[in-house]
Amino acid sequence: MAEEQTLQVLTPYKMGNFHLSHRVVLAPLTRQRSCGNVPQPHAMLYYSQRTTKGGLLISEATGVSDTAQGYTDTPGIWTKEQVEAWKPIVNAVHAKGGIFFCQIWHVGRASNTGFQPNGQAPISCTDKGIDEAEFSTPRRLYRGTEEIPQIVNDFRLAARNAMEAGFDGVEIHGANGYLIDQFLKDQVNDRTDKYGGSLENRCRFALEIAEAVSKEIGADKVGMRLSIFANYLGSGDSNPEALGLYIVKSLNKYDILYSHMIEPRMKTLAEMAECPQSLVSIRKSFNNTFIVAGGYGREDGTKAVAENRADLVAYGRQFLANPDLPKRLELNAPLNKYNRNTFYISDPVVGYTDYPFLDETITA
């Protein structure tokens, strides 16, 4: 049975117009090696190492504007320089036959004045801050002005720039306590205008972005990542299943390519917990490709596909440490252990492109 499941996770899959050779996806992973928010040449090797012919890769979170930043040396895609810097990285993935989506991102209140233009306050749906010292008190986006439409437009332009850089599509980052997630969740969103209160109002911002991006580059090139059940950076919701069902049914109207959901069991980005909740009802309510993420290993990843709880499975830390992860899953080979201490350092090699391939491990 285990071997049948393994074959299923490694079987071909047609995602819209894209023909995938297997169902193992490189999850978006912030690596903080883009000096001055500009992708660097060492990313060519990093991404190409993790590319297989017909494999799907999702880039690290990539800022849509100069207000979108909240961490040191994360990439952007709002300037011509950034677009040009992405091109050889995308080309390196395409040279090996990979399919590459750019995750477009705005951190919202998960920032501080040091990352913001002219030292201004970070922007959010609210003026409530995150209860962590490294983040500054945010400024609520104004009502009755063009501020919110401007952010929507930033996502639209970022999607256009991603296509100019050669990406095959974009993933809208609506998860992990960042700006879109802040609007979605009732524990953060305290607005009383058309962007707050009811499910319809709290989802309006995310859906406006999905619509704008889909119109710009085509819905068949658009995905959205969501963490409905999570409470990352203080962004929780009182009825996450209702929120999840509402937003995926609404996304069906735009016919976007995929929904990428983080499992309820993920307490934090690093910790899993026993959790009775599941994504099954949300999966059944979404019309197109459904990607799951959240601490998956070989057995439970293959089981998710075998039981039709997902079409594709995104792997993060294991793919980070095992550039040939699909091959290792196929052979049930030992996995390299990841080193969390090198996840976010600036070194262009250490903890980035120096994890050994299986052949190298066997030879050694």
Side-chain angles (χ1 to χ4, degrees):
M1 182 64 179
E3 288 309 310
E4 291 178 8
Q5 292 172 352
T6 301
L7 287 174
Q8 289 189 51
V9 81
L10 295 172
T11 53
Y13 175 78
K14 190 173 185 294
M15 183 179 74
N17 296 321
F18 300 101
H19 294 271
L20 306 184
S21 60
H22 57 77
R23 299 164 187 252
V24 179
V25 179
L26 174 66
L29 298 164
T30 292
R31 302 310 312 274
Q32 292 184 239
R33 286 164 167 87
S34 296
C35 183
N37 306 127
V38 178
Q40 297 296 304
H42 46 252
M44 289 188 285
L45 178 58
Y46 172 75
Y47 282 109
S48 65
Q49 283 180 330
R50 288 155 182 80
T51 301
T52 53
K53 185 176 182 180
L56 174 62
L57 295 81
I58 305 170
S59 82
E60 60 207 279
T62 302
V64 299
S65 71
D66 59 356
T67 68
Q69 305 305 301
Y71 303 91
T72 303
D73 293 334
T74 53
I77 198 160
W78 72 89
T79 71
K80 182 68 173 175
E81 180 186 11
Q82 292 164 340
V83 171
E84 292 301 315
W86 272 115
K87 287 181 178 179
I89 302 168
V90 176
N91 289 342
V93 171
H94 285 163
K96 293 182 69 174
I99 297 155
F100 203 9
F101 272 52
C102 181
Q103 189 188 67
I104 52 178
W105 180 46
H106 196 300
V107 301
R109 67 178 187 163
S111 184
N112 65 58
T113 56
F115 289 108
Q116 295 298 310
N118 304 313
Q120 66 192 33
I123 56 177
S124 181
C125 61
T126 181
D127 54 11
K128 296 184 297 185
I130 299 172
D131 190 22
E132 295 182 28
E134 68 263 37
F135 301 119
S136 301
T137 302
R139 176 180 68 79
R140 184 190 304 266
L141 288 162
Y142 292 127
R143 289 181 287 182
T145 72
E146 292 303 306
E147 282 202 318
I148 291 177
Q150 179 58 53
I151 304 300
V152 173
N153 195 52
D154 288 340
F155 275 88
R156 181 185 67 82
L157 293 175
R160 177 198 292 180
N161 287 344
M163 301 310 292
E164 183 182 339
F167 283 100
D168 298 292
V170 302
E171 177 176 284
I172 300 164
H173 195 343
N176 302 114
Y178 298 120
L179 183 61
I180 293 174
D181 204 26
Q182 291 159 28
F183 272 86
L184 292 174
K185 304 291 184 63
D186 61 12
Q187 291 180 14
V188 179
N189 189 338
D190 56 359
R191 302 180 73 90
T192 57
D193 62 1
K194 67 178 184 178
Y195 291 98
S198 66
L199 270 177
E200 178 184 5
N201 285 356
R202 285 185 281 119
C203 290
R204 188 184 307 277
F205 179 60
L207 296 174
E208 286 180 349
I209 290 172
E211 180 179 21
V213 169
S214 295
K215 286 182 176 178
E216 182 65 34
I217 67 171
D220 59 342
K221 302 178 188 69
V222 178
M224 181 176 281
R225 192 179 214 217
L226 297 161
S227 55
I228 298 302
F229 289 90
N231 187 31
Y232 300 123
L233 300 174
S235 294
D237 193 80
S238 61
N239 192 344
E241 185 167 10
L243 173 59
L245 290 170
Y246 181 88
I247 194 162
V248 296
K249 289 176 181 178
S250 299
L251 288 170
N252 285 336
K253 299 173 186 176
Y254 304 112
D255 199 30
I256 69 169
L257 180 64
Y258 71 76
S259 173
H260 181 179
M261 288 276 180
I262 297 174
E263 288 282 1
R265 65 189 182 187
M266 298 306 296
K267 289 195 303 181
T268 70
L269 290 174
E271 297 178 314
M272 288 196 300
E274 292 295 325
C275 182
Q277 296 167 310
S278 78
L279 297 173
V280 171
S281 63
I282 297 171
R283 192 271 201 276
K284 289 179 178 178
S285 298
F286 186 68
N287 292 344
N288 294 331
T289 296
F290 197 77
I291 306 174
V292 294
Y296 274 99
R298 181 178 188 268
E299 298 305 322
D300 57 352
T302 55
K303 189 176 181 182
V305 175
E307 295 178 352
N308 197 31
R309 290 184 282 110
D311 298 304
L312 308 173
V313 180
Y315 289 82
R317 289 161 288 170
Q318 290 190 7
F319 221 148
L320 180 156
N322 296 273
D324 53 354
L325 182 64
K327 181 178 181 180
R328 290 178 187 253
L329 295 179
E330 178 184 6
L331 300 176
N332 199 15
L335 299 180
N336 299 323
K337 294 182 179 179
Y338 56 82
N339 181 359
R340 191 180 301 281
N341 293 330
T342 62
F343 280 3
Y344 309 116
I345 65 174
S346 61
D347 195 289
V349 176
V350 176
Y352 192 58
T353 57
D354 61 346
Y355 283 104
F357 287 74
L358 184 60
D359 293 342
E360 297 168 343
T361 304
I362 294 172
T363 302

